[in-house]
């Protein structure tokens, strides 16, 4: 796919075991809201994703920010900016990993950042920001999935072999052979060129990605790489944006779905949807925004009812809700031929319990409150 970083101005871009937590793996993949303790924690934890993208499409509060003007650019979810330097963003990465990485691993992560910063010195993305900002953002996305230190280091270093004088031997000597192999795998995927995107070719490329990498972490790094590039896609000219969006929709989003990384899948789809069908994106987003307050009130009532029922049967659980993402709504409207008013599952509620037995008990309690719909 050529260099997927779409960053170096002097180069023309060629066409183009995740630890997925229980709370983020399903069809919608929306980060969860509504947990009783969520509000208490909001002020103390860093944003889930880089670039302040907790405010992107599909997340709580995002629709309220969309379409303040009757122009598509006003709702561009890829125009995400922040004033932090790469060093400050790396500090955010360290904060995100401090809960699960040990001191030695944190030191290795810091060495990887310093190495990448030195290797990419003087290089800039097409947006004008320092090139090293990109691998830092990719690593932050992966830290959200609680990926191991080798994966995070490889994310920080993933463009060094492709875009600098660094060799795989350098990485193997400075870090370890496993990290060098991860970087090599990502580099090989990046060099695969896609000239057209027929359904058959897209399926072949998806299979090729998986088959050519024995370590699935390579694929996860590439997904995070593509996600950050999609978040900053506005730096490319229009024809490249459209091609990259189609490539993402046909190749990367299905792979994320296959791997069960819903949080990446849904965002890739929504970002692609924005560039491929901007008017329809605007229409769906406006309809969702108009019914948002009513849905949030309903969701809160449902969570309160479920909490009371789980307390009655003495089940210790987490109860969370999420809105469906925009592309999922659009698909239901087009594939099923439904009007927006006929789509009833704009929100979903998830109950997380500790054991399989509690899972069935919770399901029984839910069915005592609401009868399941036949065929659903």
């Amino acid at each position: 796919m050529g260099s997927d970083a779409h960053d170096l101005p002097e180069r023309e871009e060629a066409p183009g075991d995740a630890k997925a937590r229980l709370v983020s793996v399903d069809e919608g993949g929306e980060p969860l809201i509504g947990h009783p303790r969520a509000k208490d924690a909001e002020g103390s934890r860093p944003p889930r994703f880089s670039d302040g993208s907790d405010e992107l499409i599909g997340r709580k509060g995002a629709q309220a920010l969309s379409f303040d003007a009757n122009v598509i650019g006003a709702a561009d979810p890829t125009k995400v900016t922040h004033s932090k330097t790469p060093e400050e963003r790396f500090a955010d990465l360290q904060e995100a990993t401090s809960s699960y990485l040990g001191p030695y691993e944190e030191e290795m992560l810091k060495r990887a950042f310093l190495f990448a910063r030195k290797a990419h010195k003087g290089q800039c993305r097409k947006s004008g920001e320092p090139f090293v900002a990109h691998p830092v953002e990719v690593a932050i996305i992966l830290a959200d999935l609680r990926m191991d230190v080798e994966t995070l280091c490889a994310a920080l270093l993933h463009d060094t072999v492709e875009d600098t004088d660094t060799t795989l031997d350098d990485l193997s000597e400075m870090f370890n052979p496993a990290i060098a192999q991860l970087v090599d795998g990502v580099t090989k995927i990046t060099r695969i060129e896609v000239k057209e995107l027929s359904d058959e070719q897209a399926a072949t490329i998806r299979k090729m990605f998986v088959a050519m990498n024995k370590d699935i972490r390579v694929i996860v790094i590439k997904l995070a790489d593509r996600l950050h590039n999609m978040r900053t896609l506005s730096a490319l000219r229009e024809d490249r944006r459209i091609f990259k969006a189609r490539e993402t929709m046909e190749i990367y989003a299905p792979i994320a779905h296959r791997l069960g990384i819903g949080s990446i899948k849904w965002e890739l789809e929504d970002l692609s949807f924005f560039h491929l069908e901007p008017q329809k994106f605007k229409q769906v987003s406006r309809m969702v925004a108009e019914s948002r307050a009513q849905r949030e009130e309903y969701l809160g009532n449902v969570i309160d009812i479920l909490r009371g029922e789980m307390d009655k049967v003495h089940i210790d659980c987490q109860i969370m809700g999420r809105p469906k993402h925009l592309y999922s709504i659009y698909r239901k409207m087009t594939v099923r031929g439904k009007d927006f008013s006929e789509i009833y599952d704009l929100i979903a509620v998830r109950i997380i319990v500790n054991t399989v037995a509690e899972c069935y008990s919770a399901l029984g309690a839910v069915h005592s409150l609401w009868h399941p719909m036949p065929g659903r």
Side-chain angles (χ1 to χ4, degrees):
M1 274 147 244
S3 177
D4 192 39
H6 67 251
D7 303 307
L8 300 178
E10 64 270 18
R11 295 183 53 179
E12 177 65 25
E13 184 184 63
D17 140 341
K19 296 181 180 178
R21 295 168 297 188
L22 288 176
V23 297
S24 63
V25 179
D26 78 337
E27 178 185 358
E30 169 63 17
L32 304 173
I33 59 175
H35 188 280
R37 293 181 292 276
K39 292 183 178 179
D40 296 336
E42 282 178 359
S44 59
R45 65 170 183 256
R48 268 180 53 89
F49 288 101
S50 61
D51 288 340
S53 59
D54 281 333
E55 301 302 327
L56 279 177
I57 45 179
R59 291 199 173 96
K60 187 175 182 179
Q63 284 79 13
L65 301 176
S66 299
F67 311 115
D68 293 331
N70 293 321
V71 292
I72 291 298
D76 188 343
T78 66
K79 290 182 178 178
V80 182
T81 60
H82 58 73
S83 58
K84 289 188 176 182
T85 65
E87 290 75 17
E88 291 171 327
R89 291 299 287 156
F90 179 70
D92 292 339
L93 173 62
Q94 289 178 307
E95 183 178 357
T97 58
S98 62
S99 62
Y100 73 95
L101 292 185
Y104 173 77
E105 294 171 320
E106 289 283 4
E107 190 276 333
M108 181 186 293
L109 191 66
K110 184 176 181 179
R111 285 195 291 116
F113 169 69
L114 295 176
F115 186 97
R117 185 177 65 176
K118 182 178 180 180
H120 291 298
K121 185 177 181 180
Q123 295 178 339
C124 293
R125 290 168 61 83
K126 289 186 177 179
S127 61
E129 64 183 344
F131 189 95
V132 74
H134 168 66
V136 172
E137 298 299 335
V138 173
I140 290 175
I141 293 171
L142 294 170
D144 180 71
L145 299 175
R146 297 180 71 85
M147 297 299 291
D148 63 280
V149 69
E150 289 183 343
T151 306
L152 298 178
C153 287
L156 290 170
L157 302 165
H158 78 272
D159 279 323
T160 55
V161 173
E162 176 75 7
D163 295 318
T164 76
D165 294 332
T166 303
T167 66
L168 291 174
D169 288 339
D170 294 334
L171 298 181
S172 184
E173 181 179 349
M174 180 65 69
F175 299 97
N176 63 46
I179 291 176
Q181 290 172 7
L182 289 173
V183 173
D184 185 38
V186 176
T187 302
K188 288 178 179 177
I189 291 179
T190 300
R191 289 173 177 170
I192 298 176
E193 292 191 4
V194 178
K195 296 182 179 179
E196 59 181 75
L197 282 171
S198 64
D199 291 343
E200 183 177 350
Q201 186 179 28
T204 299
I205 293 173
R206 290 196 299 267
K207 293 176 183 177
M208 185 188 308
F209 278 10
V210 178
M212 67 187 291
N213 291 285
K214 297 180 181 179
D215 194 331
I216 198 64
R217 293 178 297 178
V218 172
I219 307 297
V220 180
I221 294 171
K222 191 60 187 176
L223 289 174
D225 175 47
R226 175 50 64 103
L227 176 55
H228 181 249
N229 281 320
M230 288 297 295
R231 289 175 178 175
T232 57
L233 202 62
S234 295
L236 298 182
R237 63 179 188 267
E238 184 178 9
D239 63 321
R240 302 298 303 129
R241 292 198 302 268
I242 293 174
F243 186 89
K244 284 295 182 184
R246 286 191 59 218
E247 187 180 63
T248 298
M249 187 74 82
E250 297 294 332
I251 297 174
Y252 289 94
I255 291 176
H257 177 64
R258 182 67 62 87
L259 294 181
I261 313 177
S263 59
I264 289 182
K265 169 188 176 283
W266 76 260
E267 192 172 349
L268 289 175
E269 287 183 336
D270 274 5
L271 291 169
S272 299
F273 179 33
F274 171 80
H275 288 286
L276 294 174
E277 299 284 356
Q279 293 295 339
K280 292 177 181 177
F281 177 96
K282 181 178 180 180
Q283 180 184 17
V284 173
S285 185
R286 181 182 290 117
M287 289 187 294
V288 169
E290 289 172 352
S291 62
R292 177 180 180 80
Q294 180 181 1
R295 286 184 288 111
E296 287 192 345
E297 180 180 1
Y298 177 77
L299 178 61
N301 292 335
V302 168
I303 289 175
D304 290 341
I305 293 171
L306 286 171
R307 174 61 60 186
E309 193 68 20
M310 295 301 110
D311 288 343
K312 286 181 184 178
V313 294
H314 307 292
I315 294 179
D316 182 27
C317 63
Q318 297 177 354
I319 303 176
M320 296 158 284
R322 62 170 181 81
K324 289 295 182 72
H325 65 285
L326 300 184
Y327 183 68
S328 173
I329 296 171
Y330 171 72
R331 286 279 296 170
K332 288 179 180 179
M333 292 175 65
T334 55
V335 174
R336 300 180 187 177
K338 291 183 176 292
D339 185 75
F340 181 77
S341 61
E342 299 179 276
I343 300 177
Y344 299 106
D345 56 342
L346 294 178
I347 57 176
V349 176
R350 187 174 304 142
I351 303 175
I352 307 295
V353 297
N354 297 312
T355 67
V356 174
E358 288 182 341
C359 181
Y360 284 104
S361 297
L363 182 62
V366 171
H367 285 175
S368 71
L369 294 169
W370 300 286
H371 297 296
M373 296 177 63
R376 295 296 303 275

